């Protein structure tokens, strides 16, 4: 008789044990809801190629919105969307991030997060984009491969948990739960952390880790973005991004060289020389070809 009772109890114990790490059983408590107030509405920019149906994406986002709001009082609101035609970015997640960041840079105040659907991606090198990804600079450029709430919730929560590594529980686990299992729920600790970062500014890189580390990453991001604009021959944007890069980290010779190139193309040779000298002083070897071009152009100008 005792043994029978024990057997009956076992599944119950496991069920309670499994739920104890998750906030799911707490959702309906009034104090839990009160802690989520006030609600923050995240403005979402949707980016997809023509492989997705607009209504499917919208339905997916609204389902995710309900799940996020229940847990941390954050609502997702689609404010804009555009159809993307990918070029050669598809094999490199950093290139994809740069593409999205540069495409949307001038509109960056109009949205909080950019959500990009990349279902068609089949050759992401080295398994860098297994299910989804988030840029680790601004934590605002999100990529998901499938319309599975687990994936978007996971990436979105990264954007608030910042540099926290994966846990073994629920939605912040590093691997996908078995199909059919709803692992959408945060742990109480993760939820607290997200509530702490709930009102963060997505246009500013959050201060995480060591200060120098953050600065060099921020500088690198602007430098890379400026390089994309330089390639597109949009010199004003390129120069303003190199300025930002150098403001953040003035010890960065590549950014001087690149800004020098930008000035060269704008016909501002004195400024170009100044940057080239800076890069040289920092020990950078300037390509001879560019030095020749600059010399010829500035001589002709004088
Ligand atoms: Zn992750």
């Amino acid at each position: 008789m005792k043994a029978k009772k024990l057997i009956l109890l076992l599944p119950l114990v496991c069920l309670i044990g499994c739920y104890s790490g998750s906030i799911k059983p707490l959702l309906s408590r009034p104090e839990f809801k009160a802690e989520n107030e006030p609600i923050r509405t995240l403005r979402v920019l949707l980016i997809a190629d023509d492989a997705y149906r607009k209504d499917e994406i919208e339905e997916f986002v609204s389902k995710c919105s309900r799940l996020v709001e229940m847990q941390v009082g954050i609502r997702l609101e689609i404010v804009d969307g555009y159809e993307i035609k990918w070029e050669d970015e598809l094999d490199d997640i950093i290139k994809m991030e740069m593409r999205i960041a540069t495409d949307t840079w001038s509109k960056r105040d109009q949205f909080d997060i950019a959500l990009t659907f990349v279902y068609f991606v089949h050759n992401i090198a080295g398994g860098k984009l297994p299910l989804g990804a988030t840029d680790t600079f601004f934590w605002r450029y999100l990529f998901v491969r499938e319309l599975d709430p687990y994936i978007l919730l996971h990436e979105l929560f990264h954007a608030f948990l910042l540099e926290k590594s994966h846990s073994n529980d629920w939605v912040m686990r590093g691997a996908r739960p078995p199909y059919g299992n709803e692992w959408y729920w945060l742990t109480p600790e993760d939820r607290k952390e997200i509530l702490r970062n709930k009102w963060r500014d997505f246009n500013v890189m959050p201060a995480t880790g060591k200060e120098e580390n953050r600065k060099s990453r921020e500088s690198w991001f602007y430098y890379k973005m400026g390089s994309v604009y330089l390639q597109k021959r949009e010199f004003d944007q390129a120069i303003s991004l190199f300025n930002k890069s150098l403001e953040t980290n003035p010890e960065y010779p590549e950014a001087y060289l690149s800004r020098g190139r930008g000035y060269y193309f704008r016909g501002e040779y004195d400024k170009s020389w100044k940057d080239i000298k800076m890069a040289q002083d920092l020990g950078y070897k300037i390509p001879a070809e560019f030095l020749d071009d600059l010399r010829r152009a500035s001589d002709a100008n004088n």
Side-chain angles (χ1 to χ4, degrees):
M1 193 59 199
K2 254 188 185 164
K4 213 176 183 185
K5 238 184 199 166
L6 204 67
I7 288 164
L8 277 173
L9 269 174
L10 267 179
L12 199 68
V13 168
C14 172
L15 207 68
I16 292 165
C18 295
Y19 268 118
S20 66
S22 131
I23 60 166
K24 193 175 184 186
L26 311 173
L27 292 175
S28 56
R29 294 192 186 172
E31 67 274 19
F32 182 91
K33 285 182 182 164
E35 275 173 37
N36 288 349
E37 297 289 340
I39 302 284
R40 175 176 189 183
T41 302
L42 273 196
R43 298 163 302 162
V44 179
L45 175 69
L46 292 183
I47 301 163
D49 81 341
D50 57 11
Y52 287 90
R53 271 181 34 213
K54 200 167 166 265
D55 57 332
E56 270 178 340
I57 291 179
E58 286 171 359
E59 201 189 307
F60 168 69
V61 172
S62 78
K63 181 178 180 183
C64 292
S65 179
R66 283 193 298 276
L67 286 160
V68 179
E69 187 177 336
M70 264 192 271
Q71 301 187 63
V72 281
I74 294 171
R75 199 173 284 164
L76 309 177
E77 187 200 348
I78 300 167
V79 288
D80 203 356
Y82 76 90
E83 198 178 303
I84 192 165
K85 296 241 182 304
W86 292 103
E87 285 149 35
D88 64 345
E89 296 93 356
L90 296 180
D91 59 346
D92 186 332
I93 185 67
I94 298 281
K95 275 203 224 162
M96 293 170 94
E97 287 169 8
M98 286 299 159
R99 169 75 191 278
I100 299 305
T102 46
D103 275 9
T104 61
W105 193 245
S106 59
K107 296 198 284 185
R108 63 190 179 281
D109 289 321
Q110 292 160 33
F111 67 94
D112 297 305
I113 58 162
L115 175 55
T116 307
F117 294 91
V118 287
Y119 158 78
F120 48 88
V121 173
H122 49 85
N123 61 341
I124 288 292
K128 280 181 198 154
L129 185 64
L131 296 169
T134 306
D135 81 281
T136 54
F137 305 97
F138 287 97
W139 304 84
R140 75 183 307 203
Y141 304 108
L142 274 48
F143 297 85
V144 298
R145 283 189 66 170
E146 294 164 48
L147 304 188
D148 174 346
Y150 172 83
I151 302 171
L152 176 55
L153 262 54
H154 181 98
E155 299 309 333
L156 188 69
F157 291 152
H158 266 310
F160 291 98
L161 288 164
L162 303 169
E163 288 191 354
K164 182 183 183 297
S165 51
H166 292 131
S167 61
N168 281 325
D169 304 294
W170 307 93
V171 75
M172 290 320 290
R173 201 184 171 93
R176 186 213 281 273
Y179 266 108
N181 287 3
E182 284 195 358
W183 280 23
Y184 305 150
W185 314 106
L186 288 162
T187 62
E189 303 81 67
D190 284 346
R191 172 175 174 268
K192 257 183 225 147
E193 187 62 30
I194 288 174
L195 288 177
R196 226 195 311 275
N197 293 325
K198 182 170 168 179
W199 299 94
R200 79 178 193 85
D201 180 352
F202 283 84
N203 269 321
V204 175
M205 279 190 204
T208 53
K210 277 202 192 121
E211 172 76 358
E212 331 69 275
N213 217 338
R214 182 185 68 81
K215 286 201 159 172
S216 69
R217 283 156 65 89
E218 181 167 357
S219 178
W220 180 89
F221 193 88
Y222 292 131
Y223 165 70
K224 290 304 258 189
M225 226 167 29
S227 306
V228 176
Y229 279 112
L230 194 63
Q231 253 176 20
K232 294 207 280 186
R233 305 184 68 81
E234 293 179 32
F235 304 121
D236 295 351
Q237 275 283 23
I239 288 172
S240 95
L241 283 157
F242 293 136
N243 286 343
K244 265 178 117 49
S245 172
L246 289 165
E247 265 166 41
T248 320
N249 183 4
E251 317 269 297
Y252 212 44
E254 287 94 338
Y256 286 108
L257 170 60
S258 297
R259 191 172 67 178
R261 284 186 193 276
Y263 284 136
Y264 162 80
F265 285 116
R266 275 207 324 206
E268 297 173 61
Y269 305 121
D270 288 349
K271 285 183 176 173
S272 183
W273 276 120
K274 220 173 139 196
D275 275 347
I276 297 312
K277 297 253 155 64
M278 279 302 285
Q280 280 171 330
D281 287 349
L282 289 165
Y284 199 80
K285 200 174 175 313
I286 309 295
E289 209 179 303
F290 179 65
L291 280 177
D292 285 348
D293 288 348
L294 180 58
R295 215 167 277 133
R296 220 171 293 130
S298 57
D299 283 352
N301 202 43
N302 279 329

